[in-house]
Amino acid sequence: GEPASDEYGHGTHVAGIITGNGSAAGGVTSLYNGGIAPNAQLVSVRVLGDDGVGNTSDVIAGIDWVIANKSKYHIRIINLSLGHAVTEPVAYDPLCAAVQRAYNAGVTVVVAAGNAGKTSDGTPVLGGIASPGNSPYAITVGATNTFGTTNRSDDQVTTYSSRGPTKWDNNAKPDLAAPGNKIISLEAAGSYIPAQYPSAHVAGSGTNGYLEMSGTSMSAPMITGAAALLLQAPPSLSFAQ
């Protein structure tokens, strides 16, 4: 295959939250000190294009590739910081079916809830969970704002974080919420996001740059990293647990 480049920059940021190494940031910024599970191994399965957009069929193919190669690469968790609007019940949604196949194969699937929690004028929206975050077989993650503190007492769900219930099925989602607002992580050198949004670049340069992004895409890898740590502690834990 081709080298694992990230022309868009979203995947690199997500990967840095899961398992980034903080040592390179030492002389550059104090805002990033590594991912949640710094010793976890990462398998990059690229399913979106250079513009961050792609086909649902490619995402499904990526999930099925993971299922097929699960034993070869010891894959235990899939992070899906992506989604599309729900247009049908879970039972008829091919992307939700792929998530269920992964679950049945013993892979934990963590999915971003989506960023459809409000309209452009700020009106709260209910029922905006994205597919496949509406799948009961996914751990669906909303975004919180920590307001820059480690204390949880001031944490709030962000206004943009998609809220339940799920469309069509009326299931309670998201399952969890995790920090997603103004998260500093790794910047892919020369990628689209820092080029288009220079203010998102916060420190460093070249292959040691750091980027600030917000969204449930940042929250999901927080939970993916936490799940990796859980599975490492007592490896006998089942994926259902």
Side-chain angles (χ1 to χ4, degrees):
E2 296 178 15
S5 63
D6 180 10
E7 302 298 327
Y8 188 59
H10 183 273
T12 298
H13 196 274
V14 168
I17 295 170
I18 299 171
T19 185
N21 181 327
S23 60
V28 178
T29 178
S30 60
L31 298 171
Y32 179 80
N33 53 15
I36 301 294
N39 291 323
Q41 301 298 305
L42 209 62
V43 178
S44 172
V45 183
R46 184 170 167 184
V47 295
L48 301 177
D50 294 355
D51 54 358
V53 178
N55 296 320
T56 303
S57 56
D58 289 329
V59 180
I60 292 168
I63 294 171
D64 285 330
W65 183 92
V66 169
I67 295 167
N69 291 276
K70 174 179 86 89
S71 300
K72 182 177 179 181
Y73 296 107
H74 307 291
I75 302 172
R76 311 219 32 202
I77 309 168
I78 297 174
N79 185 89
L80 294 174
S81 286
L82 50 79
H84 65 68
V86 173
T87 58
E88 58 201 335
V90 167
Y92 301 108
D93 184 334
L95 190 50
C96 290
V99 166
Q100 185 174 353
R101 284 196 295 277
Y103 175 90
N104 289 339
V107 181
T108 300
V109 185
V110 180
V111 183
N115 303 321
K118 62 178 177 181
T119 59
S120 55
D121 67 1
T123 307
V125 173
L126 297 178
I129 300 290
S131 170
N134 57 328
S135 166
Y137 297 94
I139 297 173
T140 306
V141 188
T144 61
N145 188 340
T146 66
F147 296 98
T149 69
T150 51
N151 198 318
R152 288 193 305 189
S153 60
D154 62 347
D155 291 4
Q156 294 177 8
V157 175
T158 65
T159 54
Y160 57 75
S161 185
S162 288
R163 289 156 166 78
T166 62
K167 198 173 176 183
W168 295 98
D169 299 288
N170 288 317
N171 290 326
K173 286 279 183 175
D175 301 292
L176 296 167
N181 213 58
K182 296 186 176 179
I183 303 300
I184 313 298
S185 186
L186 307 181
E187 179 178 296
S191 60
Y192 178 92
I193 291 172
Q196 292 296 113
Y197 306 97
S199 62
H201 171 83
V202 293
S205 60
T207 56
N208 193 22
Y210 297 87
L211 193 66
E212 179 186 284
M213 292 181 70
S214 296
T216 57
S217 278
M218 284 65 249
S219 311
M222 299 279 183
I223 297 302
T224 295
L229 293 176
L230 272 174
L231 288 172
Q232 179 191 30
S236 59
L237 274 181
S238 72
F239 63 97
Q241 288 171 309

